[in-house]
Amino acid sequence: KPTRFTQEVHLGHLDAGGYDIIYSRGEDLLGSTQFKVDRAPMTALDNFPYAPLLNAFVPDGVLETKPIKLTLTGELAESCMNVAEPIEVFREGNVLVVLPKLKAEAGPCAAEPHSFVKEVMLPSGLQPGRYLVHIRGANGKALNRLFSVRSYVP
């Protein structure tokens, strides 16, 4: 039985436009997919203040009839900062993009680091297959997690 593995490939700076990814083994074409890179709306690393993330957990091999919960962990540097809710999630093909934005709470603000754990329900109705969860983080960083949805056979 084959063992699944994940390997991130860093492509560097990509200009805005459409790109094709072709999967092959030697001369054998295994498949392909496309993705789009949009022009950045500003020159800053982030277009919103995103939460500084430490980790993200998503179960693998979820049945298509079950809800899928993503758990995010991180640490905030100031007592007045928190993660805005609800956390925005949108889907583009087999990619789920999660945007954990920061918000400032009313009241005093001190340099008091505190951890957070947030649970996010991913969109329902995902068809069986492999999916990528792309979670934006502070300072242009992101976490990527892969998971599979399995068919439900009663």
Side-chain angles (χ1 to χ4, degrees):
K1 179 177 173 181
T3 301
R4 290 188 186 271
F5 71 95
T6 301
Q7 179 180 352
E8 277 190 30
V9 178
H10 296 276
L11 302 175
H13 174 83
L14 296 175
D15 292 328
Y19 294 87
D20 295 318
I21 298 175
I22 299 170
Y23 308 98
S24 64
R25 182 177 297 128
E27 297 295 319
D28 298 331
L29 177 65
L30 301 175
S32 66
T33 190
Q34 298 178 329
F35 71 96
K36 179 178 74 168
V37 173
D38 291 330
R39 182 172 174 74
M42 58 183 55
T43 57
L45 286 175
D46 296 326
N47 51 347
F48 294 102
Y50 292 109
L53 302 170
L54 293 174
N55 214 336
F57 308 93
V58 64
D60 194 18
V62 179
L63 289 174
E64 64 184 320
T65 57
K66 300 290 183 187
I68 303 169
K69 180 172 55 177
L70 170 70
T71 303
L72 303 175
T73 65
E75 188 168 302
L76 301 168
E78 298 172 324
S79 61
C80 61
M81 298 307 290
N82 209 337
V83 179
E85 295 200 53
I87 295 174
E88 183 180 351
V89 179
F90 65 92
R91 180 179 174 192
E92 288 194 21
N94 64 343
V95 178
L96 304 170
V97 179
V98 181
L99 306 175
K101 299 175 186 174
L102 285 179
K103 72 172 182 175
E105 303 287 353
C109 195
E112 296 175 1
H114 60 284
S115 299
F116 70 86
V117 175
K118 295 290 180 182
E119 294 181 342
V120 182
M121 296 310 295
L122 297 180
S124 60
L126 297 177
Q127 299 298 311
R130 292 284 280 167
Y131 293 86
L132 169 71
V133 181
H134 175 77
I135 308 119
R136 292 291 305 267
N139 301 317
K141 305 285 186 198
L143 296 176
N144 294 300
R145 300 293 183 261
L146 291 169
F147 71 98
S148 297
V149 175
R150 296 183 297 131
S151 297
Y152 173 73
V153 180

